[in-house]
Amino acid sequence: MSRKNLAFGALALSVFAGFLMTGTLVIYTVQNDSGHTGIDPYRSLAVFVPVAIIGLIHLAVVRSPGHHRWLAASAFTIGLLGVAFLVYLDRSNTLLQYEVWIERGMPER
């Protein structure tokens, strides 16, 4: 297996993981009426940051044809938008870890 094929596989997997994590967060947020959760939403940074980094590395280092570059740009964008979505959920008090929700005075959405 060539390095370019391996790089493309990692890129495709990262885009899939980013979409999956985004979808999971959106569905969980919509179904969660309380505004708090036992799991820290910022743990999903473990997915979004590598997705953005893989997309950026693929854009900067791996010189691929057009559709591969679009996939790399998509990975980078999904990673950044995922981080922005987490910040939005936190700042709007839409989905907070339970301890943070308590510290903020149990805010209503």
Side-chain angles (χ1 to χ4, degrees):
M1 181 180 254
S2 74
R3 288 183 191 223
K4 285 201 176 204
N5 287 341
L6 187 59
F8 179 74
L11 180 64
L13 184 61
S14 70
V15 169
F16 177 73
F19 272 127
L20 187 64
M21 182 57 72
T22 302
T24 302
L25 274 173
V26 167
I27 290 169
Y28 187 77
T29 301
V30 168
Q31 291 180 346
N32 185 338
D33 298 359
S34 65
H36 60 78
T37 182
I39 301 169
D40 185 6
Y42 280 110
R43 286 188 177 196
S44 57
L45 286 174
V47 173
F48 290 127
V49 171
V51 167
I53 290 171
I54 288 171
L56 184 62
I57 288 172
H58 205 282
L59 282 171
V61 176
V62 182
R63 303 290 177 181
S64 298
H67 65 282
H68 291 249
R69 293 190 66 74
W70 277 103
L71 193 60
S74 297
F76 182 67
T77 303
I78 290 167
L80 289 183
L81 289 177
V83 171
F85 183 56
L86 288 172
V87 171
Y88 166 76
L89 291 175
D90 181 56
R91 299 295 175 178
S92 66
N93 296 323
T94 303
L95 188 64
L96 302 171
Q97 185 178 22
Y98 184 73
E99 289 79 13
V100 174
W101 183 70
I102 294 290
E103 286 176 13
R104 293 186 186 176
M106 297 179 282
E108 295 291 321
R109 289 205 245 172

